[in-house]
Amino acid sequence: MNAKLLLMLAALGLVPIALSYGIAPGSSLPYLLGFSVETTNHTHVFRAIMGLYLANAAFWLIAAVTPALQHAALWVLFLFMAGLAAGRILSILVDGMPNAVLMFYLLAELAFAILAALTLSKINTAE
């Protein structure tokens, strides 16, 4: 896959998830994930996650239009998505199956990790 397109798709896909976690976690998370966000500490954690996700999305968008950053951004994309997927797989093994939204996230994370690895492989082969 084209590095620019992959980075743009990953960024655009991550932004709504980030916003759903951090804009109003007390409203969105009970609906999406089935648990309540009741304390300042809960809200704080989800807003920090939003910031992390938005920072990665911003880097991927900048790299999509800055060829010199694309190799590094693909590595960040691979590590970010593979790390999330690995944590989810561990949770499935230890804790059991999550809801359908979280299973969709797992599939998307695996797909993006695989696409990033394939794109990196293609770039490394071309060099």
Side-chain angles (χ1 to χ4, degrees), residues 6-87:
L6 178 60
L7 292 167
M8 290 176 68
L9 288 173
L12 295 175
L14 192 60
V15 167
I17 295 168
L19 296 176
S20 74
Y21 284 174
I23 293 232
S27 301
S28 61
L29 295 177
Y31 175 75
L32 289 172
L33 304 177
F35 62 84
S36 60
V37 177
E38 298 175 357
T39 70
T40 300
N41 290 344
H42 295 156
T43 303
H44 178 89
V45 168
F46 283 101
R47 291 213 167 114
I49 291 169
M50 177 184 70
L52 174 65
Y53 281 25
L54 291 175
N56 276 287
F59 177 54
W60 299 335
L61 286 174
I62 292 165
V65 296
T66 310
L69 294 176
Q70 288 178 3
H71 193 260
L74 288 167
W75 271 107
V76 171
L77 174 60
F78 171 76
L79 293 169
F80 181 86
M81 295 296 181
L84 287 171

Side-chain angles (χ1 to χ4, degrees), residues 87-105:
R88 291 186 198 282
I89 291 167
L90 174 63
S91 180
I92 289 169
L93 294 173
V94 173
D95 308 315
M97 294 297 288
N99 71 17
V101 170
L102 296 174
M103 288 303 297
F104 172 76
Y105 288 174

